[in-house]
């Protein structure tokens, strides 16, 4: 396939996804979700051609797709059809907030803190990230040739960083589980009765994000302290 044909196919696929999402929901399609379509190929191809999906849309799809960004939450970027009919004086921030509300309503599972951290802790460019699929749940960052047995890779497009919205992380985890054909049950917190009362952003989760895998191995603490940290919101 020629480079021009690849670009044409990519452009058509992006336009179809953005238009289809708009027509069905009347809200923007977040770029984080758009890039993850087709097993991450959209983000990968756009990055090769323009450095990022946002840059690709603004350079190659002018007149077809409109890129909009939240004025306060800069990582929140969405896309709508260029010819989408918006009411006069539409609040773009509110439009993007509707997307987050929708994702939050659809994504309710609560995951093990170490598993959750694997999708939020920044990943060094030289390493891959691998998560255990058997207890104890943990992740390790290392060179691909050192991948441990019993671990599955979390490729870079699924890692959002510590400032990502909870709903986006939830969606990215669900996409990763689906792409790897994994049952989410082993990665969920066990006591559902307590889960509903636990904060989504807690001290224990922030601690896990701050520490390197080698540091995590050296830490032990009483379960009552673990429980307190898990229940304490930031």
């Amino acid at each position: 396939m020629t480079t021009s044909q690849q670009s044409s196919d990519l452009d058509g696929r992006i336009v179809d996804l953005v238009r289809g999402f708009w027509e069905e929901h009347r809200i923007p399609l977040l770029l984080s979700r758009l890039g993850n379509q087709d097993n991450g190929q959209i983000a990968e191809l756009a990055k090769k051609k323009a450095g990022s999906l946002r840059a690709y849309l603004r350079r190659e799809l002018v007149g077809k797709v409109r890129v909009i960004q939240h004025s306060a939450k800069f990582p929140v970027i969405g896309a709508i059809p260029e010819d989408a009919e918006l009411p006069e004086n539409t609040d773009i921030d509110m439009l993007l907030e509707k997307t987050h509300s929708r994702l939050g309503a659809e994504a309710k599972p609560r995951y093990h803190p170490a598993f959750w951290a694997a999708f939020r802790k920044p990943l060094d460019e030289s390493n891959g990230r691998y998560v255990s699929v058997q207890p104890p749940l943990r992740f390790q960052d290392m060179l691909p040739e050192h991948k441990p047995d019993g671990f599955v890779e979390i490729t870079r497009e699924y890692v959002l960083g510590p400032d990502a919205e909870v709903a986006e992380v939830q969606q990215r985890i669900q996409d990763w589980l689906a792409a790897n054909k994994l049952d989410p049950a082993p990665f969920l917190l066990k006591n559902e009765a307590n889960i509903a009362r636990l904060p989504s952003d807690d001290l224990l989760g922030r601690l896990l994000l701050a520490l390197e895998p080698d540091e995590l191995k050296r830490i032990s603490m009483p379960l009552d302290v673990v429980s307190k940290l898990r229940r304490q919101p930031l």
Side-chain angles (χ1 to χ4, degrees):
M1 182 179 295
T2 65
T3 301
S4 61
Q5 186 177 353
Q6 285 181 329
S7 296
S8 177
D9 291 345
L10 177 61
D11 293 354
R13 179 64 173 147
I14 290 174
V15 170
D16 287 345
L17 287 167
V18 172
R19 184 171 296 281
F21 194 82
W22 175 259
E23 290 178 351
E24 182 177 355
H25 303 290
R26 293 295 166 179
I27 55 176
L29 178 56
L30 294 181
L31 297 201
S32 57
R33 194 168 189 179
L34 171 61
N36 198 44
Q37 297 298 311
D38 301 339
N39 293 323
Q41 289 185 2
I42 288 180
E44 183 179 348
L45 289 172
K47 186 176 182 180
K48 287 180 180 177
K49 295 177 182 295
S52 70
L53 179 55
R54 176 173 57 174
Y56 185 86
L57 296 182
R58 287 179 168 169
R59 189 182 76 184
E60 303 294 336
L61 291 176
V62 175
K64 297 180 179 179
V65 170
R66 178 184 173 190
V67 177
I68 56 178
Q69 184 173 17
H70 199 288
S71 64
K73 301 176 181 178
F74 300 125
V76 182
I77 306 171
I80 62 176
E82 183 62 46
D83 59 359
E85 295 183 1
L86 298 177
E88 190 175 354
N89 299 323
T90 295
D91 188 323
I92 295 299
D93 287 352
M94 288 297 295
L95 196 60
L96 288 164
E97 293 289 350
K98 287 182 180 180
T99 301
H100 280 287
S101 298
R102 179 70 61 86
L103 290 176
E106 294 174 352
K108 297 180 180 179
R110 293 292 184 268
Y111 295 99
H112 188 283
F115 182 69
W116 180 264
F119 292 83
R120 298 191 69 180
K121 184 176 177 63
L123 176 59
D124 187 271
E125 289 291 337
S126 62
N127 286 328
R129 174 161 295 168
Y130 305 92
V131 64
S132 60
V133 294
Q134 300 293 335
L137 288 179
R138 64 192 187 281
F139 70 89
Q140 296 184 22
D141 294 347
M142 60 187 63
L143 295 174
E145 56 266 29
H146 297 150
K147 174 187 173 183
D149 293 335
F151 282 64
V152 176
E153 184 177 9
I154 300 176
T155 49
R156 196 169 300 276
E157 68 266 23
Y158 294 102
V159 181
L160 288 172
D163 297 324
E165 295 287 333
V166 169
E168 287 188 81
V169 180
Q170 290 270 16
Q171 183 62 50
R172 196 59 59 91
I173 289 175
Q174 291 176 8
D175 292 340
W176 179 83
L177 290 168
N180 289 278
K181 300 180 180 178
L182 291 172
D183 181 357
F187 305 100
L188 296 172
L189 288 173
K190 303 303 181 185
N191 190 344
E192 295 184 359
N194 291 329
I195 288 171
R197 296 191 294 272
L198 294 176
S200 59
D201 200 5
D202 58 279
L203 287 176
L204 181 61
R206 187 63 65 171
L207 175 64
L208 291 170
L209 284 170
L211 297 175
E212 299 295 333
D214 288 343
E215 295 172 325
L216 290 171
K217 294 178 182 177
R218 302 198 303 270
I219 289 181
S220 62
M221 62 180 69
L223 290 178
D224 61 330
V225 176
V226 172
S227 178
K228 182 177 181 179
L229 292 175
R230 179 66 184 94
R231 295 172 182 278
Q232 183 64 47
L234 290 176

